[in-house]
Amino acid sequence: MTVTLETTETAPIPGFVEKTALERYVAPAKPSLVGLSRVALAEALGTVGVAPAQQKMRVQQLWHWIYVRGTQDFAEMTSVSKELRATLDAHFTLARPEMVAEQISVDGTRKWLLRLPGESQSGRAHEVECVYIPETGRGTLCLSSQVGCTLTCSFCHTGTQRLVRNLTPGEIVGQVMLARDRLGDFSSAASPSEGSRLVSNIVMMGMGEPLYNFEAVRDALLVVSDGDGLGLSRRRITLSTSGVVPMIQRAGDEIGVALAVSLHAVRDDLRNELVPLNRKYPIAVLMEACRNYPGLSNARRITFEYVMLKGVNDTLADAKELVRLLKGIPAKINLIPFNPWPGTHYECSDWDQIEKFSEVVFDAGYASPVRTPRGRDILAACGQLKSATEKMSARERLALRAMAMTD
Ligand code: SAH
Ligand code: SF4
């Protein structure tokens, strides 16, 4: 199977570069069942002789072993006949992406480097990163959707990488499986409660633009949110996009997860530079798509991400314009301190400026969490992952600082 990038390209747009797939996915000789939809799993069973009348029941059994128990060996599936277990073992695996490195930060953040199958023109292995961020009462897993990224945002390290290939649904779901394996987060009990899981939230904020790999991301997230399996509620899954407007409506209709939009600038001239996709889908068009996001309400707000770049997008006039722009859209604003990488000419805004910016946003009625970098000691980043996600508003920080000074 060859995975190609979806493009919606017509005429070239000056200043907007869309990378084409440079790398090829080559399915392993023995494919993994991880990440298949129920329908695809039934089809796979059909290919090894499971009669149609049996398929639904067998899928149900396998689903439980794979996604609730986290079983990695067909031999452990005691409710499945011995004969079928042997047949499955002969034709399939339950493999997850191969973990080539694990780093654990003093703050508990974990970063895994994962190697994926495929043919690389550059001779480099296909690798993505996946990061787990534990917080009080919850744990967030940051997933990648592509090796590299189709797009070229000027402040993003992933955007500079040539290597691009879309991840398959199995490789996306496989990141969740691997995290649960490593964290001991699979249950031996038949029906674990959602709240007891270490991986309780998912953000599609790793490498890649998820809406340029729409079908695979959709299929993967539907597996991840299946209530009889991994069981993460869609409200606990956030998909972050740089603004692939034509796919935003479909994301709401077909996946139904929370949306985050990487805004980063409030004027088209600047956003064209930072997020060149803006040349194709300018701010007004993006905002219109946001207003129409299915299921949008005060209880289900869109998160607008805004990376703080010193002297670029961080004036108080920018903050005021940001508030004006979002008027009428149920929104949250996440201010992200820029995470520098070797070779970038951007710098992170000064902390005082971030606080002032945050004050304007706060005074307009938005909680304005500033994302504190996590896992600094292990550089828990896919270029950007570092900035996810311990939240504390600048005002809270000010209050804490004031308290510290008066004590
Ligand atoms: N491609 C998607 C999701 C992955 S990027 C998107 O762009 O939304 C996840 C978030 O990290 C985005 O908001 C992105 O703009 C931000 N980001 C990228 N590079 C960063 C950096 N160096 N410092 C801080 N945030 C960064
Ligand atoms: Fe791709 Fe997102 Fe980075 Fe832009 S910010 S290059 S869309 S990963």
Side-chain angles (χ1 to χ4, degrees), residues 64-336:
H64 179 82
W65 285 110
I66 298 173
Y67 296 116
V68 178
R69 302 291 185 94
T71 306
Q72 299 194 50
D73 184 350
F74 291 108
E76 288 170 15
M77 299 183 170
T78 47
S79 61
V80 176
S81 73
K82 252 193 172 158
E83 198 191 341
L84 179 56
R85 278 187 257 160
T87 306
L88 291 173
D89 195 40
H91 294 90
F92 304 110
T93 71
L94 295 165
R96 295 84 159 99
E98 184 195 347
M99 189 187 81
V100 287
E102 175 181 56
Q103 287 173 289
I104 306 179
S105 158
V106 286
D107 69 14
T109 299
R110 291 182 188 225
K111 182 173 78 167
W112 296 288
L113 183 64
L114 307 176
R115 187 163 299 153
L116 310 170
E119 284 175 6
S120 165
Q121 291 186 338
S122 57
R124 279 174 52 197
H126 295 184
E127 285 173 349
V128 290
E129 288 177 350
C130 175
V131 173
Y132 174 70
I133 305 135
E135 293 166 280
T136 317
R138 68 181 203 171
T140 302
L141 190 65
C142 184
L143 304 183
S144 293
S145 58
Q146 300 184 305
V147 177
C149 182
T150 316
L151 299 172
T152 55
C153 302
S154 55
F155 59 90
C156 171
H157 190 230
T158 309
T160 65
Q161 297 175 20
R162 281 188 70 236
L163 187 65
V164 177
R165 113 156 148 69
N166 278 342
L167 266 57
T168 64
E171 290 167 341
I172 298 169
V173 176
Q175 294 170 60
V176 184
M177 304 293 279
L178 183 118
R180 282 212 163 146
D181 294 339
R182 298 297 304 168
L183 296 166
D185 197 28
F186 275 114
S187 170
S188 53
S191 50
S193 64
E194 193 184 334
S196 63
R197 296 293 205 192
L198 291 173
V199 177
S200 63
N201 293 61
I202 285 185
V203 290
M204 297 298 303
M205 292 187 187
M207 296 169 83
E209 169 48 60
L211 296 188
Y212 268 87
N213 185 15
F214 181 79
E215 264 102 19
V217 168
R218 175 197 60 201
D219 294 353
L221 293 182
L222 293 181
V223 170
V224 168
S225 60
D226 185 296
D228 291 330
L230 290 167
L232 276 113
S233 118
R234 288 175 202 193
R235 288 176 181 229
R236 290 171 174 264
I237 301 175
T238 302
L239 184 152
S240 174
T241 180
S242 56
V244 188
V245 166
M247 306 309 283
I248 287 179
Q249 169 91 25
R250 282 189 69 190
D253 286 337
E254 297 177 34
I255 319 179
V257 292
L259 184 70
V261 171
S262 296
L263 190 60
H264 307 319
V266 289
R267 299 186 325 268
D268 279 323
D269 59 339
L270 180 58
R271 194 161 189 272
N272 285 347
E273 214 179 282
L274 299 178
V275 185
L277 182 65
N278 194 69
R279 294 174 190 266
K280 201 168 176 182
Y281 308 117
I283 292 173
V285 175
L286 176 58
M287 288 300 132
E288 191 52 24
C290 290
R291 275 178 223 283
N292 295 328
Y293 188 64
L296 188 61
S297 70
N298 276 335
R300 298 186 66 190
R301 295 163 191 254
I302 294 178
T303 301
F304 288 88
E305 295 157 281
Y306 197 96
V307 64
M308 299 299 296
L309 300 169
K310 186 174 184 170
V312 175
N313 65 355
D314 64 351
T315 66
L316 298 190
D318 288 313
K320 285 178 192 150
E321 181 57 17
L322 175 63
V323 166
R324 201 195 58 78
L325 199 60
L326 299 185
K327 204 156 189 248
I329 304 179
K332 291 185 250 182
I333 299 172
N334 272 350
L335 303 179
I336 312 176

